[in-house]
Amino acid sequence: MAASSKPTDESSHPYDAFTNHQGFDWTISDAKFTADTRTDFYDCSLTSRRYALVGVACSSIFSCLCIITGSVTLTNGGSTSAAVVRVIPDIGNTQFPVREIFTLTLNLIVTLCTESVGFVHGISLRSALASESRLRFSTNLRLLTAARGWYNPNGALINGVSAVLLIISYSSASLVACIDLSPKTLDTVEEGIAFAGIPLLILGVALLLQVMIALSGMRAVKILTWSSSPFDLIATLVHHSQLTPATLRCMRCVSNLDSYGGPAKPSEIQPSAWNAHTSIRKVVISLWVLVAACAGWATLIMYIWDKYASGNDLILSPNALTTHTWFFLPTLEVAFIMYIIPGANSEVWILLFVNMAVIQGPLTLGLHCSELIANVIRDERQWRCATGRKGLRMVTNPLKTIFTHPICLGLFVAKPFLHWMFGLSLLVDISAIDGEVSKVFVFMFTAQIWNLCIALFIFVCFFTFIALHRPRGPQPAAYGHVQTLANLVDEWSPVMWWGHKEDGIPYCHAGTSDHPLLDVKMDCVYAGSGAASGPVVFLP
């Protein structure tokens, strides 16, 4: 059984085969499809490819601007230089949090860049795993899942480098903005916003290296489809003989894969993502560990403030943490401990980056791992549309799947916001005088750490709830598992419905069709059309 190997022809008319609708030819002994049904029923999603490359190009431009600005700053003034940008002439006379808003905006830009690069990296990793017959789910943790090969752009070594670069990107964004003091008179100074040269340079280099890794991974593997939909992916794998549906599993969900896969009755409630996906359990547990670590950090700062007095290097705020000193934005009126680092030479910058990366790294990786929960739930909700009134649509806008899905959109907003809240908790106040960094103040604000802990707690509670939620209805849950969906979808069309298809003795058959189907019969045993030994009756 030969499959076409001309992707250019397939991408030009991916749905021509639907004009002559045919179902799959199921048999008990041999799970084969007819050649007609395996031709041109998947979407290469070149629109997603164009969007992804535009995002990568914008990320490259932004990274180059950061590199140029940082290099010019260092060339003019050395490692302690900061390029002064006057956003407001005198921010000391305004209550508007200029630096905080700028840092939040910068975190949002970094999120846009890393998400664009991450999409390309994730698609190439998915294709590499599929080529190695190791792709189990359509969604994977791209930085913690690797293809074979030590020097493979999608391998373990490069993925580890990508994880470090992702952490550095967010750490750099927290260090870029600083306050510049410019003498106005003998007794007054004017405060302005300054960009520190070294963090800006490192931010640009980290983003550019991530772009290079993503493009290298894209060139290292043949990408058959750019679609993020699991159904386009499965149709592609079936078309290219990289995936073969199994018989007798038309009513088997993903959690039944390791058990006997024979005929089964419909279930009124389906397993949760927690039970169906082992990596989901690890992610949820890791997120709760992150919340506990944040609470421990806040408790430690309160203990140090309560036990120790001011020293040579450690400065404590005079105010205890109370409801009157608990604010969202950090001020000198709240409880804090502070270190002062004189000067800002290369050694100081290295120490700052290491400290920020070590403390901020778990937050960055935790939010990255949360993508797995969001995408798995998104895939499952798309599959469950097959029993809805409008059916399951194969072709979707790549941006619509992100910005219209509440969980994915919430995660996209939470990433820069939580990183920004971390920057408020561990505030590195870089003080510059006339464009030269003079001192570095490292603050740890107790109230802001607790604010971050509360925000993380709410975030993790929500993701735990959706991971433990069990969908209702007889439609078998798949959560993007490629083999399960290949077993459940027996007819491909641009719009699909799932339900009862055939009566039989002793087994009935459930599957997909291009028109709405009847509800499955809860008291019947389902296996597949090839398993029916009695007369087959086609229901409207």
Side-chain angles (χ1 to χ4, degrees):
M1 177 173 50
S4 174
S5 59
K6 297 179 181 180
T8 55
D9 295 337
E10 294 162 0
S11 62
S12 61
H13 51 283
Y15 294 111
D16 290 350
F18 292 126
T19 55
N20 297 320
H21 174 74
Q22 282 186 294
F24 289 134
D25 182 18
W26 283 82
T27 63
I28 299 177
S29 59
D30 189 12
K32 293 183 179 180
F33 298 97
T34 61
D36 291 342
T37 57
R38 294 193 56 184
T39 303
D40 298 340
F41 59 69
Y42 73 93
D43 183 16
C44 294
S45 193
L46 299 181
T47 302
S48 297
R49 180 177 181 270
R50 286 191 292 268
Y51 286 164
L53 293 181
V54 169
V56 170
C58 293
S59 302
S60 303
I61 295 172
F62 178 74
S63 64
C64 290
L65 291 176
C66 292
I67 293 174
I68 293 172
T69 305
S71 300
V72 171
T73 302
L74 295 178
T75 301
N76 293 337
S79 62
T80 63
S81 182
V84 177
V85 177
R86 296 286 178 176
V87 181
I88 297 179
D90 189 0
I91 64 172
N93 295 327
T94 180
Q95 299 298 321
F96 188 74
V98 180
R99 184 174 59 171
E100 287 77 8
I101 296 299
F102 170 79
T103 304
L104 177 60
T105 304
L106 186 59
N107 275 287
L108 178 60
I109 295 175
V110 170
T111 300
L112 288 170
C113 293
T114 54
E115 290 297 306
S116 300
V117 173
F119 177 80
V120 176
H121 187 201
I123 291 294
S124 62
L125 174 63
R126 188 184 69 180
S127 301
L129 294 175
S131 65
E132 298 172 358
S133 300
R134 296 173 54 224
L135 183 65
R136 297 182 63 244
F137 288 87
S138 62
T139 298
N140 301 276
L141 292 173
R142 64 180 182 89
L143 298 182
L144 302 179
T145 307
R148 295 191 180 100
W150 188 252
Y151 298 104
N152 190 327
N154 295 301
L157 177 62
I158 304 301
N159 282 0
V161 174
S162 298
V164 174
L165 293 174
L166 181 64
I167 295 171
I168 292 176
S169 299
Y170 282 106
S171 299
S172 302
S174 301
L175 296 173
V176 168
C178 61
I179 299 296
D180 179 68
L181 302 177
S182 179
K184 194 173 183 180
T185 64
L186 292 177
D187 299 325
T188 61
V189 294
E190 184 178 272
E191 295 183 0
I193 296 296
F195 297 161
I198 286 185
L200 200 58
L201 175 62
I202 294 179
L203 173 61
V205 172
L207 290 176
L208 187 59
L209 288 177
Q210 291 178 74
V211 169
M212 295 173 62
I213 290 174
L215 294 178
S216 299
M218 185 181 68
R219 292 178 58 87
V221 66
K222 182 180 180 181
I223 299 176
L224 300 176
T225 178
W226 284 82
S227 175
S228 58
S229 169
F231 300 95
D232 283 322
L233 170 65
I234 293 165
T236 304
L237 296 179
V238 172
H239 177 81
H240 290 273
S241 303
Q242 295 181 5
L243 179 65
T244 302
T247 55
L248 307 179
R249 287 183 175 269
C250 72
M251 197 57 69
R252 290 287 178 177
C253 62
V254 59
S255 62
N256 298 138
L257 289 176
D258 297 329
S259 60
Y260 171 68
K265 283 188 176 182
S267 300
E268 294 183 357
I269 189 170
Q270 302 301 317
S272 64
W274 172 280
N275 295 322
H277 202 310
T278 56
S279 296
I280 294 291
R281 295 194 288 270
K282 298 176 183 178
V283 170
V284 172
I285 293 173
S286 300
L287 289 176
W288 281 111
V289 171
L290 182 62
V291 173
C294 189
W297 180 24
T299 303
L300 178 62
I301 299 303
M302 293 179 66
Y303 173 79
I304 293 176
W305 186 94
D306 184 64
K307 187 174 182 62
Y308 297 98
S310 299
N312 294 329
D313 297 323
L314 182 64
I315 299 177
L316 308 178
S317 66
N319 301 319
L321 180 62
T322 63
T323 55
H324 299 288
T325 60
W326 196 314
F327 304 102
F328 183 76
L329 295 178
T331 66
L332 295 180
E333 298 177 1
V334 303
F336 64 84
I337 64 173
M338 179 185 69
Y339 283 96
I340 299 178
I341 304 177
N345 52 29
S346 301
E347 291 78 9
V348 171
W349 283 115
I350 293 174
L351 181 62
L352 282 176
F353 270 102
V354 171
N355 289 336
M356 288 290 291
V358 169
I359 301 176
Q360 194 170 5
L363 175 63
T364 304
L365 294 179
L367 292 176
H368 166 70
C369 292
S370 301
E371 295 177 7
L372 179 65
I373 302 177
N375 293 337
V376 163
I377 299 300
R378 179 200 64 194
D379 293 344
E380 179 62 17
R381 289 190 176 181
Q382 184 182 4
W383 161 236
R384 306 200 80 78
C385 290
T387 54
R389 182 175 59 87
K390 296 182 179 179
L392 186 156
R393 296 185 179 275
M394 289 275 291
V395 180
T396 57
N397 188 298
L399 295 180
K400 184 179 179 180
T401 58
I402 298 175
F403 294 106
T404 60
H405 195 282
I407 299 177
C408 294
L409 181 60
L411 179 59
F412 178 80
V413 174
K415 283 183 178 181
F417 185 75
L418 289 176
H419 279 291
W420 177 64
M421 291 190 68
F422 175 85
L424 299 179
S425 306
L426 179 61
L427 181 61
V428 179
D429 194 350
I430 304 171
S431 179
I433 300 178
D434 284 337
E436 293 293 330
V437 177
S438 58
K439 292 181 180 180
V440 176
F441 303 89
V442 181
F443 291 88
M444 294 186 184
F445 293 95
T446 309
Q448 280 62 46
I449 299 175
W450 280 117
N451 290 340
L452 174 62
C453 184
I454 295 172
L456 279 174
F457 178 80
I458 297 173
F459 175 84
V460 176
C461 282
F462 174 73
F463 272 78
T464 302
F465 172 78
I466 62 176
L468 294 175
H469 175 69
R470 300 184 64 183
R472 297 188 177 276
Q475 185 180 5
Y479 295 105
H481 189 270
V482 293
Q483 184 64 62
T484 300
L485 287 175
N487 301 339
L488 298 176
V489 179
D490 60 345
E491 292 183 17
W492 295 91
S493 60
V495 182
M496 296 185 294
W497 284 266
W498 181 89
H500 178 91
K501 295 187 72 173
E502 300 175 7
D503 281 328
I505 301 176
Y507 306 125
C508 297
H509 173 52
T512 54
S513 178
D514 60 354
H515 60 272
L517 298 171
L518 296 177
D519 294 338
V520 297
K521 302 177 180 180
M522 301 301 295
D523 58 342
C524 292
V525 179
Y526 286 80
S529 60
S533 58
V536 177
V537 179
F538 291 92
L539 299 178

